Amino acid sequence: MKSEREQQLIEQAYAEIEKYQDLVNRDWYRLRYHLMPPVGLMNDPNGLIDWNGTYHVFYQWMPFCTSHGAKFWGHYTSPDLVHWQAAPIALAPSEWYDKNGCYSGSAVDHEGKLVLFYTGNVKDEQGNRQTYQCLAASEDGFHFTKKGVVITLPDGYTAHFRDPKVWRKDDQWYMIVGAQSESGDGKAVLFRSTDLFHWEHLGPIAGGNSNWLGPFGYMWECPDVFPLDGQDVLIVCPQGLKPDGMRYQNVYQSGYFVGRLDYERNEFLHGPFEELDRGFEFYAPQTMLDRHGRRILIGWMGVPDQDEDRQPTVRHRWVHALTLPRELRLVDGKLRQTPVRELKQLRKQKVAYRNVAMVNELRSWPGIEGDAIELRLDNIELFGSMLEIHLRHAARLVYNGDEGVLTLERKSFVNGLTEKRQCRLPRLRSLHLFLDTSSLELFVNDGEETFTARFFPHPDDRTILFGTHGHLHMDIEKWEL
């Protein structure tokens, strides 16, 4: 049962959806095959789980405006990771321990119940923060009852202590929480339990100024630990990293360490930090293990404090979206991300050109255009200095073969100037793009690198142009989605 206050807040959120539904749906930039908020602001994906034959994705949601505030948990479900339906609102910030926001968390199956863990955010009149790790449970996966606080803030950390991710190993439950130590270092903190209600604080398994890692940000958000291909992976979102060449160009970062979690010593022995995505909008990813044994990742197509209020969709009372589901694999110690195979169900009206040859030209190909499409370039052989792809005159991909650098450019939605994100790429073999009215997701060399971004072309511009300096051979496939 939900409290009277929670029911009241949920009713107010539904009223907001109804009030602005027409305005939201009139926006040219509404996406066609991505998850978005029905109104207001969407951020972190939460509670990813494949439960009783249904995929569940919860998300951070502010229904009453397009800025951050006291977050709800919105909820979508799908039988196949492709066709999604809105489910009843899961959580609202109604109780003393979460009145300023039901912050991010995760989901597990326990004794046939779908159990949610989340951070309750509380602020006093002076803005001082308190933080609680909380639990809610459901018999049917749709209607949740809050059970209250299961962890209070342990000694040694500031109130920046949030985003619990829970998993089971052998006969124990484990929880990793993103934290800031009292010394100002980002940490990933481990807890252990036998019943999900009583938790033992084991301490930080990794963080800034620990193991061999020096200073590495003032806060680690959204940690996620999981085994993959014989090793362990720790995903974290460090805040406070300074730009370093092509790396760390966004306000906050998302990345991972590969290593081994020693459950006896409660420490994560790991290699270097790698960014998960090279684009403009990617943050707060979360993973789940699905019915096929795949590790599936979904991220937020946004970054906090990065000109969110300037996005063109704000005038239509909504902002942000989630990425497509991606399957993770470890190859030579690096994560590779590929779109889940189920997305092929979206394909319509294929257009293909085999063994295309181009020499020092800029041109289009009949049928290779659109605003909601999938585009594959395979068997790329560049005998020259550059390949470029112009996307609806609002973004451009450039591969410089001489320098071994791949660049994504776009027109800034803040000032209209060209801005870029880059990565080093010794060889380009394939490009796999998903364009969706105002978003792009690029998978390079079968997921060796990814770029995720929002961009806002003129709605009538569906043009895609290809250019080269030198000789180029490739195969092109395109589908309407």
Side-chain angles (χ1 to χ4, degrees), residues 434-469:
F434 287 81
L435 302 181
D436 190 358
T437 65
S438 62
S439 75
L440 69 88
E441 292 179 70
L442 169 65
F443 301 87
V444 184
N445 292 349
D446 294 318
E448 181 181 332
E449 298 284 359
T450 63
F451 288 74
T452 302
R454 301 297 302 278
F455 75 129
F456 300 95
H458 190 281
D460 295 331
D461 191 336
R462 297 163 53 87
T463 306
I464 298 177
L465 299 172
F466 300 86
T468 91
H469 292 174

Side-chain angles (χ1 to χ4, degrees), residues 17 35 110 165 228 266-267 270-271 281 298 315 323 352 443 463 473-474:
I17 293 174
L35 293 179
H110 180 52
K165 180 69 189 292
L228 187 65
N266 303 315
E267 63 178 356
H270 59 80
E281 276 88 27
I298 296 176
R315 66 177 68 100
T323 71
F443 301 87
T463 306
H473 294 271
M474 62 182 176

